[in-house]
Amino acid sequence: MNSTRNSPWRLGLAIGLLTFAWAAGCGTSEEIAPPTSSGPAPIPAVTITIDHQNYTGTPPITPGAVLTVVNLDSVKHSITSKRPGLFDHEIGPGQTITFTAPDEVGSHPFYCRYHANMDGALSVRKLVAP
């Protein structure tokens, strides 16, 4: 019998607490900051090195970043976008090339046309204002 008498009181308390929690989350005049991307800030220029049939040095970059690719191997390689037509460059043994990164923000996977085991991705991100 005791529990029946306390039920309306408990129900009222639960409704009051839920109302308070809802009101606390609403009506705030503070603006919510836009989400920021995690990890290091993108940079406007980067050097990608090809060594022992591996691409190295692919940090996040800004749209239109200057990319320098250095081939330290004794064989020809390419840096070819998996999305046809985005970028496709050959780098001869011991050569260096420079090209402009895509303006489109996102991940741009690439590979070497001559070596199936070689692949990587360009992470193009916009700078987030401090």
Side-chain angles (χ1 to χ4, degrees):
M1 270 204 198
N2 230 1
S3 63
T4 306
R5 206 170 11 153
N6 289 337
S7 289
W9 181 81
R10 286 184 182 177
L11 179 60
L13 179 62
I15 290 172
L17 287 173
L18 287 173
T19 302
F20 176 75
W22 176 79
C26 295
T28 178
S29 62
E30 293 180 30
E31 290 186 28
I32 298 174
T36 58
S37 55
S38 61
I43 54 177
V46 68
T47 298
I48 298 171
T49 303
I50 300 173
D51 191 17
H52 294 94
Q53 294 193 7
N54 285 306
Y55 297 104
T56 61
T58 54
I61 55 175
T62 58
V66 175
L67 298 171
T68 301
V69 183
V70 179
N71 181 0
L72 299 179
D73 286 347
S74 59
V75 295
K76 178 169 49 173
H77 293 291
S78 78
I79 185 164
T80 305
S81 172
K82 289 186 178 181
R83 190 170 100 196
L86 192 59
F87 56 88
D88 183 14
H89 303 280
E90 286 191 2
I91 311 100
Q95 289 187 334
T96 298
I97 64 148
T98 301
F99 71 100
T100 304
D103 287 327
E104 183 182 331
V105 172
S107 180
H108 301 287
F110 60 83
Y111 66 100
C112 175
R113 285 185 275 125
Y114 307 105
H115 305 96
N117 63 318
M118 292 179 62
D119 62 2
L122 298 177
S123 176
V124 179
R125 299 192 310 205
K126 288 191 178 191
L127 283 173
V128 178

